[in-house]
Amino acid sequence: PTRRSSDLIGIGRRLTVLPEAGVELYFGDASKFSLRSVDAASFALPENNIFDLHSGSFVISSNGNDNSTTIKSPLSTIRASCDSPFALMIGITTNGGLKIIALLGECKLEQEKLTSSVLSPGELVFALPEGFSRKMSVELSTLMVTSKLMTGFDDPPVYLKKLRQQAMIQALRTRKRYKAVVGDAKN
């Protein structure tokens, strides 16, 4: 994607990312949020700290402490609260729900009047109207080299160094516990 670091986008706007394109936004407030999206995505920024995601895939991150944000999709709304810097990879599912993968930090995810879930780096959960799915594990090192959200920009994400550390910690923990590396799943 072409970089134009001086372009400003105001709150209340809806943005569409075209195929083969991407956008990376930095928020100029105390939250220190950033948002990355690539390849055919649509989202709105109705208010500070609210991300209304319509379609596509995203990474929402912050290098600040004690941040919380609301993430909406056509089918689900969650509140993410993180005590330390974090990065969450989020995909809008075909049915309009959310697929959330923690890349950095530990985040508490809550749905109003439903259960909550705490995600650590490498964990994936689906957010649906009836609540969260069970947690699944994702290999961070594979995700880092295969996801266009990580590789599709001229500059790497600001949290790449920390993400590499998390991937190494995850690999050591997985090998130590299971004495094997888990590859792919068919379904």
Side-chain angles (χ1 to χ4, degrees):
T2 303
R3 192 170 90 179
R4 293 188 190 123
S5 61
S6 61
D7 291 352
L8 299 176
I9 296 172
I11 296 295
R13 301 274 312 266
R14 181 174 177 150
L15 293 123
T16 300
V17 180
L18 300 174
E20 304 296 321
V23 65
E24 185 166 29
L25 304 175
Y26 294 94
F27 296 78
D29 58 11
S31 72
K32 299 182 182 175
F33 281 119
S34 69
L35 176 139
R36 264 188 180 210
S37 183
V38 291
D39 284 346
S42 175
F43 65 97
L45 305 169
E47 299 174 37
N48 281 339
N49 302 341
I50 296 179
F51 298 91
D52 190 359
L53 311 178
H54 302 280
S55 62
S57 57
F58 307 86
V59 173
I60 295 173
S61 65
S62 173
N63 15 340
N65 293 317
D66 297 322
N67 274 319
S68 63
T69 183
T70 299
I71 301 166
K72 298 179 177 186
S73 75
L75 197 61
S76 301
T77 299
I78 65 163
R79 182 100 183 134
S81 304
C82 312
D83 293 337
S84 60
F86 74 92
L88 296 173
M89 185 177 283
I90 300 164
I92 306 304
T93 61
T94 305
N95 64 4
L98 293 164
K99 177 175 73 172
I100 306 153
I101 302 170
L103 302 177
L104 285 184
E106 199 167 90
C107 290
K108 181 178 184 180
L109 306 178
E110 300 172 280
Q111 287 181 298
E112 193 172 321
K113 299 179 184 174
L114 295 171
T115 60
S116 64
S117 184
V118 177
L119 282 188
S120 297
E123 292 182 330
L124 174 150
V125 72
F126 288 90
L128 302 167
E130 59 273 6
F132 292 105
S133 70
R134 68 178 180 87
K135 290 182 197 176
M136 295 163 256
S137 294
V138 175
E139 188 177 26
L140 289 173
S141 59
T142 300
L143 195 63
M144 283 175 18
V145 297
T146 59
S147 172
K148 278 185 143 181
L149 286 165
M150 299 293 125
T151 62
F153 291 82
D154 294 338
D155 296 325
V158 294
Y159 46 83
L160 183 62
K161 184 177 177 182
K162 290 179 181 178
L163 181 55
R164 283 187 180 136
Q165 291 171 339
Q166 287 300 320
M168 189 179 308
I169 290 167
Q170 182 191 44
L172 291 171
R173 187 177 4 174
T174 302
R175 285 194 181 105
K176 184 176 180 184
R177 183 181 295 163
Y178 301 106
K179 304 216 186 294
V181 175
V182 179
D184 193 15
K186 299 291 181 199
N187 53 26

